Every structure is written in C-alpha cells, then in structure tokens.
Amino acid sequence: MQKQILRLTILAFFFLAILFPNKKTTAQTPKTFPATFTEGTNLAVALSPDKQTLVLDLQGTLWLLPVKGSEARALTDALGDCRQPVWSPDGQRIAFQSYRDGNFHIWSIGKNGDDLRQLTFGIYHDREPDWSLDGQRIAFSSDRSGNYDIWEIELATGKLTQRTTDPASDYFPAYAPDGAKLAFVSERKTGKGAGIYGLDAANKEQLLTARKEKLFSPIWHPDGQRLIFNSQSPGQSRLESVKIEGEGGEILSAIDEDVFPFKVSWLSTQEYIYTSDGQIKRGKLGEKSVSIIPFQATVTLKRDNYPTKIRDFDAKTKRPVQGIRSPVVSPDGRQIAFTALGDLWIYTKGQSKPKAVTNDAFLEVDPVWSPDGERLAYTSDRNGTMDLWVMDLVNKKESCVFRATETLMYPSWSPDGKQLAFYEADPKANNRSRLSILDLASSQVMPLYGALFFASQPSWSPDGKLLYVSVVDSYSDRFREGVNKMLIVPVDKSPSRFASPVAGRTLGTRGKNGPLVSPDGTKIAYVLDNLLWTIKIDPGGNFLAPPRCLTTELAESPSWTGDSKSLVYLATDVLKQVFLTDGHAETIDMNFTWKIKQPTGQLVIHAGKIFDGRSDTYLENQDIIVEGNRIKQIVPHQDGRSGRVIDASKQVVLPGLFEMHTHQNAQLGEPVGRLWLSYGVTSIREPGTDPYDALERKEAWASGARLGPRTFFTGGHMEGPRVYYNRNTSNVGGAQLELELNRADKLGYDMIKTYVGLPDVLQKRVTEFAHVHGIPVSSHEIYPAAGYGVDAVEHIGATSRRGYSPKLTALDRTYQDVIQLVAKSGMYMTPTVSLHGGMFSLIATDSSFFNHWQFKTFYSEKYKGELKATAARRSAGANTYANIEKSLVALMQAGARLTPGTDSPITPPGLSYHAELQSWVAAGLSPFETLRSATSWAAEEVGVGKDLGTVEVGKLADLVIVEGDPLRHIQDMLNVKMVIRNGELLDKENLAKPNR
C-alpha cells in the first residue's frame, strides 16, 4: 500500500511539472556535506525487549544504536518526521508517530528498516503509541472525538476503539506490566482533577497521582507498583517516580537536569534509560549518579547554489500596481472600490484608469459599498487610530462615524444600510476581537460576539438576522490548530453555530475570502483550495446542495454584484468577473501604474566615522557622496563639495538596519512606516502576511505615498491541512500547492515561508520551486529542511507541530545537533531572543530603556506602564532565558549566520528590535557581531547583498546617522539623528509627523 502511495505521489508531481512548468534559472551544483550529531535536542529512545538495541528519535529520523552506544544507523528516511518509537513485545517491529502524510498517524516498521506500514488514517492526529504486551494492540492518543482521548487499534483487523471520553484531554497511554491496565495523563479540571489515571479492561478509571504540573510520558515500573514520568514546572523538568498504592515518591533526576518529555526504558527492575541534557543516560533507582551512552549519527546537509531573483531598485519607469487591497464591486456591478498606494480608488468600467477618492498622507482601507451604492464605509487613521468612516459619494462628504479606542477593522453594511458590523480589538483578550454592530442613526454600538481570533470580514443575511464569519475551529484544547469554518451568528444573540461546506477541509485565509452571502440570500461564496466556490443555502444558512466550483485559477477577495448573478475577484494578479449563469469569466483591465520615487542631485555626508557593515573598526573623517539613490564615492573629507552637505562630522554613519522578522498589517496605520525609519530600520522582512496588503505597503512606501522602509515580503504561511493564524494558507499538495507557488512567482515574493504544519515532502517541493525562481525559503523547521536546501530558520524555539520543539527544550536549552545543523548547513537563523524573554529582561533591569525620542513620539506612557507590568510578572517566575543567551553565543561561535528579528507586532515594533540588538550584546556577542548581522548578513540573507547592507561605492544609499559609539555601546544605536532611505534625507522633523 505504501509503495502504491509513493508511486502515485511521484506521478502526481510529474504531471504537475508538465501543467505548471518552472521558469528555469541557470542550474548550479548544490553543495552537500555531512554533519555528525553527538547530542540531541528533545531526543527520545526506546529499548528493545532483548535489551540489546536502542531506537532513537533524533531530529525526526529513527536510528538504531547498540545499548552500549556507538555509531547509529538510520532506520527511516528523513521525510516522515518519525517520533516517539516503541518496540513490539517480540522485538520484530517498531511503532511510532509520523507526519509523513500531513497528519500525525501511527506507523510501524520492521527492525531492519523494511515493511513500512501506516496503521491509522484520516484527518485526525494520532500520537504517542504504546504496544500491548500480547502484541495485538497499540494504544495511542487521538483527537478523533473532538478532543484528545485514549484509543486502541487491533492490528489484525484495524478496528479502532475509544477508551476514554472525558471532555478534558487524555494522552500518553502506557500499558501496565500485567497488560490489564493503561496509565495516561489527563488534564481534567473537574472530578478528581488533573494527573495520571489508570484504566482497567472494563474502562473503569482510577486516579493514580494527582498533579498540577505539566506531565508527560508515564511508564510503569516492571513490578506494576510504581510510575515513572516527566513533570515540568517553571524552571524545572524532572524525572519522577510515584507509588501507585500508599504514600511516597521521589525525584530521580538532578535538580538542574534538563529531562526530556519521553518514556524511560527498563534495563532491569533497578536500571533504566532516559534522555536529558542532550544525551542518553543510564540511571539506577536509589542512586543519583548516571552514566552516558554515547552515540554518533551522521546526516547529509545540502546548500543550493542558485542565482537570486533580480530586483531593479533604480527603475524610473512605471510599473503595474499589484497592491490592490480589498477590491469590492458596487451593487450595480459598474464600479470597483479598493485601496492602493495609501488611498481609496474607484474604477468605473469603460474608463481607462481608476480615480482616487481620497488623497492624503493617511491610510484608508477596507472599503465597502452601501446597499444603495451611494456611500462607502471604510477605516482610516486620520485621527490617530483606525476609526470608522463613511463617504457620501454623491456630495463627496466624509464623516467619522465611530472613534475607536482599540484596533478596528472590516466594516460591513447591513442590508437596510442603517447599521455597520465591524471588529474592535478586545483589550482583555490578547489578539482577540469583538464583533459589534454600530447603529448609524443613534451612534450606539452593540457588542455581539467576543473573543474571536482574527476572524474574516462579516457578511449579513438579507433579512439582517444573521452574520456569517470565518473562524478557526480547533480540533482540541491541547493544540491550537484546526480548520477555518463558517460561524453563523444570530443578531438577536441566540446560540451561534459552525458550518462547513466540506467536512475536515479549511476555508481560505480569514480576511476577505468569505463566507459571503449573496444579496438574494440563496448562496454563499467562499474560497477553498485557492479556488472560488458557491453553495446554495436556505434562509437559516443550511446547505441545500453540493458546492459548485467557479474557477480553475487562484481566486482572492471575491465580492457579489447586487443582482447575485456574478462575483468580482482577484485572479492572482488581475481582476476578473465570473458569471454564474454559464461560468465564464472576464478580465477587468485597469491601466493603473506607479513608479519608485527616485531622488536627483548630489548629497554629501561628512561622516566623522563610518561603520561599513563588514569591518570591526571605523573609517574616519570621510565624505560619502550620494548621486541620486546610490553611493558614488567614499573619499577623505574635503570642504566645498557641491550639492547638499550634511555635517555628521561628530557622528557615526552606518548601513540602514534590517528587521528580519515582522508581520505588518494595515491596521498598524500610517505611523508604522515612520516608526521603523526613526529607529534606523530602512528594510524590513515580512515572513508571513496578506500578500496584497504587503504589496500595497511596499508600493506606497517605495512611491513616496507614505514614508516607510523597504519591505521584503512573502504571502501567507504555507501550511498543511490544519491552520491557526488568519494568514495561514492550507496546502494539501497537488494542483492547489502549485497555484500558491504560481502566485509567489507572479506577485514577486521576496521569500517563501513554510509553516509548522506543512509536511516535509511538500516543503521539499516548495524549496525546489523557489530556488528555480531565485527565491529563498524559510520556516520554523530545522531538519530535514537543512538536508534539502531550505535557506533559513525562524526563531530559536517557537511553535512546533509536535508539542515540543526540536530546537529548544523546556528549560530553553539547545544542544549540539541544532548548533551543527545551523552552523554547518549555512542556514540563516533569526532567533528572536527579545520575543523569548530578552525584551522583558531589559525592561526589568535597565531603567533607561524607554528614554529615547522615538518611544516618546510613537508610544504612550500608558503603554510603557503595561510593558513594565508585564516584565515584572515575567521576572517573578522561574527564568531560563539565560540558557537562550548561551545558545545564541554558541551558535555564533560555531559559525552560524544569525540575523535580528522580533516577530512584531507581537512585540512593539522598533522598540523590540533595539531590545533584540541589546539582548545579543547582553548575552555575550560583541556590538560588531550584532551590527554586522543587522546589516550585511541580513542583506545577504534577503538576497540583496549586491545593493544593500554595507556602506560601499555603488550600493544604495540606505544609511542611518547616530550619535555616540555603537561599536562600543550598542545602546547608542537609539541615538538616531537622520536616516537616508534610497538617497532621500529624513530628519527627526520629517519622521515625527505624516508627510506627503
């Protein structure tokens, strides 16, 4: 069966290559080289029944190792993400969880690496197998019932049996030595509470030990009277033993030991094998000393040598506008409103060009037509926050109809034109919003539904009784991922309900991709698998017929015409209209262009000192001569040069800084572009966003419509079957994935970000495509990504599909395997240590942290208080951040290429970036190493090292001028006096207020 699946997969990709041919670049031979692991980060082991052989789960590959230790031999390939192995009682097979098909399922393989079998199937996740003593069953945890419960599979028949049914999550099953009982971890909050439970053959449960800590991987002692398990609490990860009957228990591990969350194996009734501190250890009951079982495991790494995409930073000609954000068709079908280049525009069919209906330095987004077509509602930050505005198109009068105190987004007209539904951020729930309704006549707001996580734009039923939104519905409360479903919310606040046109499949990204009720109320339009669909409904939102697919090309941001007979949508990079009568689509041609704002004339910067981005010493008393947007000369200072002269003779000139991990969005408004520049950041890298929103921002900043840095962007995170963030694009392979890759090429992505749920076989396909098109690839994954040429890895820890990280342990430690993978592969890493604790460490210890003009300009005293309060709470608990600092230094010393990023706006933009720089130096890196990473290394990672990242002749003039000595005091990087972006000089006055 497995061989048939693999053959079909190969054939599928063969035909896809014919259907979607790549634009070939010059092929160059990749570099391959070995890396040998002698330590493992979150390494798991299991001992064979004959006590002679260990099977290792090391970076997602299973390895065999003699129990005395030596060279390990790979049992599985690297593409399966094989984890938590267990031996069959006869020692002939090994069961494990694998992510090979895009869901965690239970698999088994012969001890010699033959006869690979998939044992469980479906859209669910099956984890943590344990083999019964008679060899006939495997117990595992699964979210098949809408929550994690304990299940069993009969191997002879494949029959599945659900063993637990509590609403709380049950997981990590383990058979007792007599085969009659199962132990498992439960998160129960009622009854006897959380802890480890026992389950007998009749499904009668017994609480074996009550615990409040996070528990992992219980295993029975051979005498059946004790349990050994891992417990985790702030600052501790311990191996513990507890008696089943009576009082008593003990901690088996050392006080500062980093115990990994996996089952121990018994060598005898006294000796056991477990993993911690990156090693395989042998322990003995009653003794604190342990011995090490040494191992070596060698993998092959790959670094593709491909030409990066060509960018024309010097272009002076017009180019088509691609940043068409939120296009929406008027009820009569004649006009399309949208945001581009910072303003609202309306295109009227038959005209040659769209017309701007706003023209200011602020940002207007998310326009929606009133039912009569005479008004536009939208959001704008003209008053300092994203407020709700309405424009009367007849008399061109604009009015602010609701002043927001929190982030506001996605207005939607009621069918009678008397109300607007919208979202406002809930200050009491992080990253959650309230769905509310504004009555335009009374200005009263009615909260309708709270705590929604990045839901889609609401859509009204024609009778005004229901609102439809797309939200993520998680499979369980143990893990956050799920599928996007329709949530039908009655306006009278009666119970809401979920609906999904295709069970188990996720709707498109949550934004403007539906659900959209047709004006006549007979259909819902939505995006699924990157295609546009409709489904017939009754007035209550119940589905009446199978869905109908309207496109064979990628569709984004659909909107209905008022007669419910057609939909306008973005077909990757053009607007189209599809007609439901016969399914034909027409292209809507707009002659809409923009061009880069290119300065002219000569600018001379008399630099007292220059940090060029490469050398650890300054070049002193030089003139940097900028012609247009590029550095023409760097020569010893001389008075009387022609052009505009900037006296920086007592200051330091550096390359503009790169922020390498930020997720921008329109709701941040106009000020965020100036904020970045004021902090000396002239380039940002966006590894995950709405691509049309990113393009609007990129074109607005580059054209001069708004002030802001260069942005290097991708689209949504390329994800697997399950999603979490609104920007996650669910990919299940085949033509759907190829449509997403085609969008990356057509829209000119600067990188591709694959997320945690994309299986390795699809990540490999993405990497091959991207490199052919000169685009780098990054992800949270480290291996086998480094084995097939992925260019970069995000975060030193962060989200993992496994429930634990292969890069960082519970005590924030990273071991030799991770350091080898990053350093030897040549992958870049953006560790985001400010996100992992660095920023709050600085707030708690540096009284001057907020004392700079940028913070006072863009942030409030109230926000400062909130940050200080959070830092105080964080510092009150056990802090393992020092371990991250050690790993950061170890990575750099091993030769890893690190670049600074923050994951803002999870952390405050600009402020957290400088916290990142300062955190690196506080950890033990030099200011030079830190600034080199922030400039030349960052530019090279993005693929623009020929144009940016250093102060050199011929480079683009992206520069920052600071007072002080940043090569000695990294805090001096906050002393920004001027910024030069693409040859344009910007001082504090320019950056402190909107400009146009």
Side-chain angles (χ1 to χ4, degrees), residues 192-212:
K192 295 183 179 180
I196 299 176
Y197 283 73
L199 184 70
D200 66 16
N203 275 9
K204 183 180 179 181
E205 295 179 354
Q206 174 190 3
L207 178 62
L208 302 179
T209 180
R211 304 297 290 262
K212 295 182 179 180

Side-chain angles (χ1 to χ4, degrees), residues 338-346 354-365 376 378-382 389 391 393 396 398 592 670 696 700 703-706 994-996:
F338 57 89
T339 296
L341 302 174
D343 289 309
L344 292 182
W345 300 74
I346 292 179
K355 293 183 178 180
V357 293
T358 63
N359 182 20
D360 55 42
F362 302 100
L363 182 60
E364 292 86 30
V365 295
L376 279 179
Y378 55 93
T379 61
S380 174
D381 63 348
R382 294 174 191 172
W389 289 71
M391 176 186 292
L393 295 172
K396 305 302 181 184
E398 295 177 272
F592 192 24
E670 179 276 334
E696 188 283 327
S703 67
R706 300 196 302 275
N995 290 270
R996 177 172 262 191

